Amino acid sequence: MPTDAQETGGDEVLAAERAHLAESRAALRRMREYARGLSADMAADWVSRQILESLLDKRVAALADHPDTPLFFGRLDADGADTEVPPTIHVGRRHVHDGDEGRPLVLDWRAPISRAFYQAGPDEPMGWRLRRRFGFRGGELTAFEDEPLDGRALGPSTILTDEIERPRTGPMRDIVATIQPEQDSIVRAELPRTVCVQGAPGTGKTAVGLHRAAYLLFTHRERLSRSGVLIVGPNRAFLSYISAVLPALGEVRVDQATIDDLLGAPLAAEPAATGALKGDARMAAVLDRALWRHLRRPEEGLVVTRGASRFRLADHEVREIAASLRGTMRYGNGRAAFAQRLAHQILIRMEQRGEAPDDRVQDQVARSKPVKALVELVWPKVTAEQVLFRLCSDAGFLRGAAKGVLDDDEQRALVWAKPARSHRTVKWTAADRALLDELNDLIERTSSLGHLVVDEAQDLSAMQLRALGRRCGTGSATVLGDLAQGTTAWSARSWKEVLHHLGQEGDVTELTLGFRVPGPVLDFAARLLPEIAPELEPPRSLRAGTGALDVRRVPDQVAGAVAACREALDREGSIGLIVPDAAVPAHAAALESAGLDHGVLGPESDGLGRLLVVPASLAKGLEYDHVVVAGPAEIVAAETRGLARLYVVLTRAVSTLTVVHESDLPARLVDVLERDS
């Protein structure tokens, strides 16, 4: 959408903007050198010096200049009505100022004044008359487009479209140059507010969540530096894919983890039905009862000897103290409080005899052998592993804990057929890990973070969500996902349910306008929605994507996939060959025989490389310029929610999707192909 300024003076404008870019890079270099020259020697002690050195190192890292990434991507020109506002501002990934004059050369996209770059329009120009977007190739400024904010009808932004559609290899990029108004509203939601985003494929929900984390760190730097921000993703490959986004925005202090990183990696598998039962929210009540059933009824009182005196508590008094504490606090705290209450009653006996004991005497009594022995007898110290081991290996104990909560069949499903000898030798499953975390919190409180970003949240069980909710119990969360992409046996059916299990109250925003997935590809995959998520609105794509979809029936699926990959290698961009998990070795071997350089994506791999063989179970959250899907029928047949897995797989393409199949396609996809033909 060229303007008169571009037609008559484009070269001069480009030259001026390039000069501003060079000046900004030089200023950033000086800022980094200044930060590198700061010393931690001023710290008062060794510990403070180590902390200060770490902070300075992070500051230097945050000021890194990535030569292939433009420092600014936009500019706003003021209408002149407000003399307090600068006549022009450049909006970029971080703040850059002239070290000598303190003059801002680039304003951080998260600054309040920068909000207008995303939100200003003809109806509300917000005090600005012109928005300018810049086009870059590598780190070189190559083009610009001006958009008057006076309501003149203009076509779509070529620069914006090119940036959205630009082929990509390697990790996910930030989207600060292309954030849309509805995305910006989510990004800038305030810290106390929990936000839940239901996002169709290609709507940028993951990017929105990451940018909200960056915005909150900018806006609440001191608070979140103390309490922390955590990104939780579905697997290591996904976390590797998104790992470059926040550092590119200058944020290097955000932790990333999978649910297994937080709760512990599973050491064994189990039937999906058993895992789903263990993931049911009702298990929280069962675990709570199981833990407190470890308290025992005292059969005798307490006798404490102090010098020549003996002080007694009757058994009924001990029972009353234990009963008054039971269930009023966490198990571990209750155990400590029980010892102190017993000691306090002994001090009362001492005072009744004319003595004057102080708090130190109470602590001594609480640590005395008679009190410790009684506490261990009545309120024994237990671990989460001991409780869960007993629950799953002792049918009678489980019956008492699950009465009225789980039926007989469910109880039988939880009891191990061949129990391990002790809790130390058990190979815990993924569902067990969430139960252990629940028990650990019942024993000792789990510490909370300032903010938690949970991606693909629809795939987490109620017990896993409770575990994450404990980690933002005093903070807030950004919850991201797509109910249509739920592929686990316990996948959520509503976001209200997810928020409830997280212990959060929040607003649900639905993103249905896709920016990344071509229209024909998205429409093809959306034919599955009536089967997997009939309540969701079908997504729409901004991109026409002519020729983006190619569905081929072939006599040899593996050979057909190799041929499709060879064709894709002639185009620019990354390629993902997505296949059923069991077919990964065969496809990798076929690519090797064909002489096509490739990698294989694994749970712990970084996901880098031009051509990757991707197991269908790991495709969620990833995207590739060109996707080849081999064996859709086999992908569906491999899982209980196989149609949802296929929906995920079909929506990973940014430019083209080629579907190669021997067996019949799912009926809804056949129907749309027949109608199109």
Side-chain angles (χ1 to χ4, degrees), residues 270-287 290 387-403 405-420 426-429 431-432 435 463 490:
E270 64 188 342
T274 305
L277 175 59
K278 290 180 179 179
D280 193 298
R282 293 176 298 161
M283 288 300 299
V286 175
L287 295 175
V387 177
L388 189 56
F389 175 80
R390 186 178 178 189
L391 194 68
C392 294
S393 59
D394 184 340
F397 183 73
L398 173 61
R399 190 179 306 113
K403 184 178 180 180
V405 180
L406 303 178
D407 63 31
D408 292 344
D409 289 340
E410 290 172 325
Q411 292 178 33
R412 280 192 290 271
L414 288 180
V415 177
W416 295 324
K418 295 181 179 179
V426 175
K427 293 184 177 180
W428 302 108
T429 67
D432 291 334
L435 301 183
M463 296 305 293
W490 46 74

Side-chain angles (χ1 to χ4, degrees), residues 109 168 172-176 178-179 183 186-187 197 202-215 231 238 241-242 245-246 249 453 455 478 480 511 515-516 621 623:
W109 65 277
R168 62 182 61 194
M172 181 182 183
R173 299 191 302 262
D174 66 70
I175 62 165
V176 286
T178 61
I179 292 174
Q183 295 174 323
I186 299 170
V187 167
V197 181
T203 55
K205 59 182 176 295
T206 296
V208 166
L210 294 174
H211 287 67
R212 186 183 183 211
Y215 171 78
I231 312 291
F238 174 83
Y241 176 62
I242 67 171
V245 174
L246 290 172
L249 300 174
V453 179
D455 209 344
T478 301
L480 312 167
L511 299 177
F515 304 101
R516 298 292 296 169
E623 63 178 26

Side-chain angles (χ1 to χ4, degrees), residues 489-635:
W490 46 74
S491 294
R493 297 297 188 267
S494 77
W495 290 116
K496 181 179 179 181
E497 172 189 331
V498 169
L499 290 170
H500 171 72
H501 294 316
L502 278 172
Q504 296 282 329
E505 295 182 359
D507 303 317
V508 180
T509 301
E510 187 170 358
L511 299 177
T512 59
L513 188 59
F515 304 101
R516 298 292 296 169
V517 184
V521 174
L522 199 57
D523 293 343
F524 179 62
R527 295 292 299 177
L528 298 173
L529 283 179
E531 296 286 342
I532 58 178
E535 71 282 0
L536 293 182
E537 180 182 341
R540 299 172 294 115
S541 176
L542 279 179
R543 302 172 56 197
T546 305
L549 176 64
D550 183 8
V551 181
R552 308 173 183 177
R553 186 153 198 165
V554 295
D556 186 331
Q557 208 159 257
V558 175
V562 171
C565 289
R566 193 185 299 278
E567 295 169 18
L569 285 167
D570 292 334
R571 310 184 188 109
E572 185 182 2
S574 58
I575 305 159
L577 170 56
I578 308 179
V579 302
D581 288 27
V584 168
H587 283 85
L591 292 174
E592 184 73 26
S593 297
L596 300 184
D597 188 29
H598 67 281
V600 176
L601 186 69
E604 301 300 323
S605 61
D606 57 14
L608 302 180
R610 174 102 195 276
L611 170 59
L612 284 175
V613 181
V614 181
S617 64
L618 294 183
K620 189 172 294 183
L622 307 179
E623 63 178 26
Y624 303 92
D625 290 292
H626 309 285
V627 168
V628 178
V629 175
E634 290 78 3
I635 290 173

Side-chain angles (χ1 to χ4, degrees), residues 40 48-59 253:
S48 300
R49 184 159 57 252
Q50 295 298 309
I51 294 172
L52 185 54
E53 284 180 357
S54 175
L55 292 174
L56 291 175
D57 289 344
K58 290 177 180 178
R59 174 61 177 163
R253 289 171 290 182

